[in-house]
Amino acid sequence: AQSVAQPEDQVNVAEGNPLTVKCTYSVSGNPYLFWYVQYPNRGLQFLLKYITGDNLVKGSYGFEAEFNKSQTSFHLKKPSALVSDSALYFCAVTRRGEAAGNKLTFGGGTRVLVKP
Amino acid sequence: NAGVMQNPRHLVRRRGQEARLRCSPMKGHSHVYWYRQLPEEGLKFMVYLQKENIIDESGMPKERFSAEFPKEGPSILRIQQVVRGDSAAYFCASSPYPGQGNGREQFFGPGTRLTVL
């Protein structure tokens, strides 16, 4: 079975400051890891993913994430947060070669609030 | 290229009625996933379908829930005899590539928010 933990329900940060959203995962075999963002009353938008290769992955809107295999983590980061980054962020994992396609297991989500 | 379409966006049903949720995947996508999001929770996988086939329904309740993805037309998630606990947002996602997990991201629709009175 695979699982994702997002230990913080909410992260508050001042605009212009660095933003980090934590994610740890558990999966048998090699993982594919994803970050999605959800704005109020909207669907999920894809931000970035780790498949293989460089552990630092760059994505949309200035976000990046670092895959750390030894710590089974995939934290999302942004060097300088914007008020418009306020949203709900989800980390998700699937297992490479998952028989059911890309069936995703999601974390519980972290609400990010960026204050001006 | 239109994104994943879901309708209706909001659906209100009384206990005991049927709810029918529709999802049209992105053009060229033949793989559909349904997820359920309960209030203040993350998304939970329900079912994975390809055209005319259910590949994995391990996340779907055994009773009252069913899903299909016909050769023509949208994917349908059907909930019979709804109860208040079915109130949630139901999201559909699609992806273009067949076979086992290959890391292709899924594209999500805007969701259908089901309220059971």
Side-chain angles (χ1 to χ4, degrees):
Chain A
Q2 51 204 40
S3 64
V4 176
Q6 293 181 241
E8 300 157 315
D9 289 337
Q10 182 160 323
V11 170
N12 298 318
V13 64
E15 188 174 32
N17 282 1
L19 169 64
T20 299
V21 186
K22 295 179 181 176
C23 170
T24 58
Y25 67 90
S26 173
V27 67
S28 58
N30 293 313
Y32 292 147
L33 293 152
F34 302 80
W35 276 102
Y36 285 85
V37 59
Q38 184 180 32
Y39 296 98
N41 298 315
R42 302 281 296 277
L44 275 69
Q45 295 179 28
F46 169 76
L47 279 180
L48 52 77
K49 66 181 178 183
Y50 171 80
I51 302 298
T52 187
D54 289 342
N55 290 340
L56 185 63
V57 178
K58 293 190 183 294
S60 307
Y61 313 120
F63 283 94
E64 59 188 29
E66 185 164 11
F67 171 64
N68 187 318
K69 188 173 183 177
S70 63
Q71 297 185 5
T72 62
S73 67
F74 189 55
H75 301 330
L76 181 71
K77 298 180 181 182
K78 186 170 184 179
S80 178
L82 301 173
V83 172
S84 57
D85 293 328
S86 299
L88 191 53
Y89 291 79
F90 290 101
C91 181
V93 67
T94 189
R95 183 174 56 87
R96 191 176 302 177
E98 170 65 54
N102 295 314
K103 180 174 79 174
L104 291 171
T105 299
F106 283 87
T110 298
R111 189 168 302 281
V112 170
L113 181 59
V114 182
K115 297 181 180 179
Chain B
N1 186 12
V4 178
M5 311 277 284
Q6 288 188 251
N7 68 81
R9 294 291 306 276
H10 299 275
L11 182 61
V12 179
R13 286 287 178 267
R14 296 191 180 279
R15 282 179 295 171
Q17 291 184 320
E18 178 180 282
R20 191 172 297 201
L21 288 61
R22 295 176 184 78
C23 169
S24 297
M26 287 181 70
K27 187 177 181 180
H29 288 194
S30 58
H31 301 262
V32 166
Y33 302 80
W34 284 93
Y35 295 86
R36 176 165 65 175
Q37 183 180 32
L38 295 169
E40 303 303 318
E41 292 189 15
L43 282 75
K44 297 286 194 288
F45 167 80
M46 297 182 75
V47 62
Y48 164 44
L49 309 105
Q50 296 176 17
K51 287 279 186 181
E52 301 183 281
N53 278 309
I54 297 175
I55 307 302
D56 183 348
E57 56 183 349
S58 60
M60 203 145 74
K62 296 286 187 286
E63 315 242 330
R64 302 187 297 109
F65 285 73
S66 63
E68 62 178 14
F69 189 16
K71 186 176 180 181
E72 302 290 337
S75 175
I76 306 287
L77 179 67
R78 184 181 290 108
I79 311 172
Q80 296 177 307
Q81 299 176 333
V82 296
V83 301
R84 287 208 174 122
D86 297 332
S87 295
Y90 292 82
F91 289 97
C92 168
S94 72
S95 68
Y97 295 98
Q100 296 181 339
N102 54 18
R104 297 290 177 179
E105 63 270 24
Q106 295 173 21
F107 297 84
F108 282 80
T112 294
R113 277 156 184 82
L114 172 66
T115 301
V116 180
L117 301 177

